[in-house]
């Protein structure tokens, strides 16, 4: 099932086609110039947007780094004496899990549900 486009978008597309065809018919030399101006303006706005976005990301990144360093500094306590490193790491024991047997010996009565 195909959806119909929003009427405002359809109207804008029709007006854009009309405007380009009118410009092409009356003053075809201005059409490429106008296109270059539009591309330039869009590029400037895009560059401004990216710069603002980068500053926001940089600020939030710096804030996260400060918070991480603060937490790391609080967790680690400076020790004056050196502790010997264990030569072999001890293997952790698996958690003790129990298996519930259930009703293995009892057969199901398939006639009744």
């Amino acid at each position: 099932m195909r959806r119909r486009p929003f009427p405002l978008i359809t109207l804008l597309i029709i007006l854009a086609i009309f405007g380009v065809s009118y410009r092409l018919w009356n003053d075809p030399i201005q059409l490429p110039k106008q296109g270059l101006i539009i591309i330039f303006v869009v590029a400037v706005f895009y560059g401004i947007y990216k710069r603002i976005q980068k500053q926001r990301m940089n600020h939030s990144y710096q804030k996260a780094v400060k918070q991480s360093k603060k937490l790391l500094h609080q967790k680690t306590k400076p020790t004056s004496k050196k502790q010997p490193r264990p030569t072999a790491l001890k293997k952790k024991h698996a958690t003790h899990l129990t298996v519930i047997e259930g009703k293995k010996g009892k057969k199901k009565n398939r006639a009744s549900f």
Side-chain angles (χ1 to χ4, degrees):
M1 186 172 184
R2 189 171 177 174
R3 293 175 45 183
R4 293 183 64 197
F6 193 65
L8 182 62
I9 294 173
T10 306
L11 179 66
L12 285 174
I13 291 172
I14 291 171
L15 287 175
I17 292 171
F18 177 73
V20 168
S21 62
Y22 178 79
R23 175 69 74 176
L24 190 62
W25 184 261
N26 287 335
D27 198 9
I29 300 298
Q30 289 290 357
L31 188 64
K33 288 181 184 179
Q34 187 177 7
L36 289 175
I37 291 172
I38 290 172
I39 290 172
F40 177 73
V41 169
V42 169
V44 167
F45 279 118
Y46 182 73
I48 292 171
Y49 170 75
K50 280 297 186 180
R51 179 172 285 170
I52 291 171
Q53 193 72 11
K54 184 179 178 183
Q55 287 175 353
R56 283 186 186 173
M57 290 298 287
N58 193 18
H59 177 68
S60 63
Y61 175 73
Q62 294 295 334
K63 190 175 180 182
V65 168
K66 284 181 183 178
Q67 185 179 9
S68 178
K69 284 183 180 179
K70 185 178 178 183
L71 286 174
L72 184 65
H73 183 66
Q74 286 177 353
K75 287 183 180 180
T76 59
K77 295 180 182 177
T79 57
S80 59
K81 56 182 177 178
K82 292 184 179 180
Q83 296 177 353
R85 287 188 166 186
T87 56
L89 296 174
K90 292 184 180 180
K91 198 174 197 180
K92 290 185 179 182
H93 295 290
T95 57
H96 298 287
L97 301 175
T98 57
V99 177
I100 300 173
E101 293 292 326
K103 301 177 182 177
K104 286 186 178 180
K106 190 175 180 181
K107 292 185 179 179
K108 290 184 181 179
N109 187 0
R110 295 184 189 254
S112 65
F113 287 101

